[in-house]
Amino acid sequence: MSRHLEVREVLQRIVGSARTLLGAEYAALGVPDDNGGFAQFVVDGVTDEQWRAIGPLPRQHGVLAAMLHEATPTRLADVRRDPRFGGWPSAHPELRDFLGVPVLDGDEIVGALFLSNKKEDPSGAGFTTHDEELLRILAAHAALALTNARLYERSRELTLIGERARIAHELHDAVSQKLFSLRLTAQAAATLIARDPERARAELTEVSRLAAEAADELRSVVVELRPAALEEDGLLLTLASQADVLDRAHTAEVVFAADQRIRPLPPSQEEAVLRVAQEALHNALRHSGAGRVDLEFRAGARSPRGALLRVTDDGSGFDPAAVRRAGRHLGLVSMRDRAASIGGELTIRSEPGKGTVIELEVPGG
């Protein structure tokens, strides 16, 4: 459970592990919201078609409400005979024996984990005291994993806030200044048209150049600001699209190459790979003066189940140690943090006048 950083992945792994561990037909875990319902509710043992037929998420009532307000396990021979039972939708599977425990973060109940219909139980006695103890132990581990996942998602939100601030700063420093220069140059051309047409023509040429540069700057910022459609397009197509847009937006040639047989990565790893690629491409195109930038994505060198991202440019290069001493980061800290968040390793090779190579090695899933 602790290997997963997305909250939804953690919840799904918890219910799957609980159902397998205790031999139940059904398992579910609900995380309450502040409005009497559930912010998230995941199940195991129910098909997608069944889940859609069941309808909206349950409210906090009946046995579920008791589990979310009382920090004690609930073990029932038949949940339907409990006085708190309030029924379920017509498409809902029939539940009999029931075992539920709260997921606790200190004294706070952060979720309710429950199982139903113990399999391979010829006695019909349902869940045992031993089953209850096992589920309590699993719920304790689940609380830690869920807390870690929430902290990770919060840190990612803060990172996105920082990225938005950086992009806003770039808009001000780059695009706004270009537009200001363009405006002044256009005004100068307007005053010169009547008395000095040749100089006016030269000023208008400068207006055209500044407008093209401003458009390039704006396209570059918009590419970074737009959320990547990883879920719809997948990582390979998203990286290819990024390279294509940047190739058209900049004078430098941007070339993408990938191993089409590479295994899909977990969502958290795919997002980290994309963000590191964007940062490395940004540095190469905006700071290095490169004429060509190569973006590669291939199977991992250390593990065939992993992946390797490589961004190479033929630009001016830099001394990484000198950059650190000067307090300039060029996004290197952000890239290292993203690599560390997925258990990856970031390598930076660069020298003044010899270009830069940035590699992200992603571990196998």
Side-chain angles (χ1 to χ4, degrees), residues 90-213:
S90 59
H92 197 285
E94 286 290 319
L95 307 184
R96 302 182 304 274
D97 45 319
F98 178 95
L99 174 61
V101 298
V103 179
L104 300 171
D105 180 12
D107 294 330
E108 180 187 1
I109 300 176
V110 297
L113 174 61
F114 61 90
L115 308 171
S116 187
N117 298 12
K118 186 174 177 64
K119 296 185 289 186
E120 299 177 4
D121 180 24
S123 68
F127 296 101
T128 65
T129 303
H130 179 63
D131 291 331
E132 182 180 318
E133 183 59 27
L134 281 177
L135 196 59
R136 286 171 64 113
I137 294 171
L138 184 66
H141 287 287
L144 292 173
L146 183 57
T147 299
N148 287 340
R150 282 177 163 174
L151 290 173
Y152 167 74
E153 290 198 348
R154 178 57 180 158
S155 70
R156 190 171 61 180
E157 289 173 9
L158 294 174
T159 299
L160 291 175
I161 291 172
E163 288 181 349
R164 290 190 181 100
R166 176 178 65 79
I167 291 172
H169 181 74
E170 288 179 4
L171 278 171
H172 178 269
D173 285 356
V175 181
S176 295
Q177 291 180 17
K178 285 277 193 318
L179 293 176
F180 181 69
S181 298
L182 190 153
R183 180 185 176 189
L184 292 179
T185 306
Q187 288 175 343
T191 61
L192 290 168
I193 286 176
R195 58 188 176 85
D196 194 341
E198 285 301 317
R199 283 189 59 191
R201 188 176 295 110
E203 293 293 339
L204 288 173
T205 301
E206 180 65 9
V207 166
S208 177
R209 186 187 69 81
L210 289 171
E213 288 186 1

Side-chain angles (χ1 to χ4, degrees), residues 53-66:
I54 290 172
L57 294 181
R59 305 293 297 173
Q60 296 178 29
H61 61 82
V63 178
L64 284 181

Side-chain angles (χ1 to χ4, degrees), residues 302-316:
R302 299 174 186 172
S303 168
R305 296 184 64 85
L308 177 67
L309 173 77
R310 180 185 293 117
V311 179
T312 307
D313 70 68
D314 60 1
S316 57

Side-chain angles (χ1 to χ4, degrees), residues 28-91:
L29 194 157
V31 176
D33 61 17
D34 298 324
N35 303 307
F38 286 92
Q40 291 177 300
F41 197 90
V42 297
V43 298
D44 197 61
V46 176
T47 66
D48 292 340
E49 291 76 16
Q50 288 175 312
W51 181 244
R52 285 192 292 269
I54 290 172
L57 294 181
R59 305 293 297 173
Q60 296 178 29
H61 61 82
V63 178
L64 284 181
M67 291 173 57
L68 289 169
H69 296 94
E70 302 170 8
T72 55
T74 299
R75 182 156 52 96
L76 304 170
D78 191 335
V79 67
R80 297 166 296 186
R81 297 181 180 178
D82 188 276
R84 298 166 295 184
F85 177 65
W88 43 54
S90 59

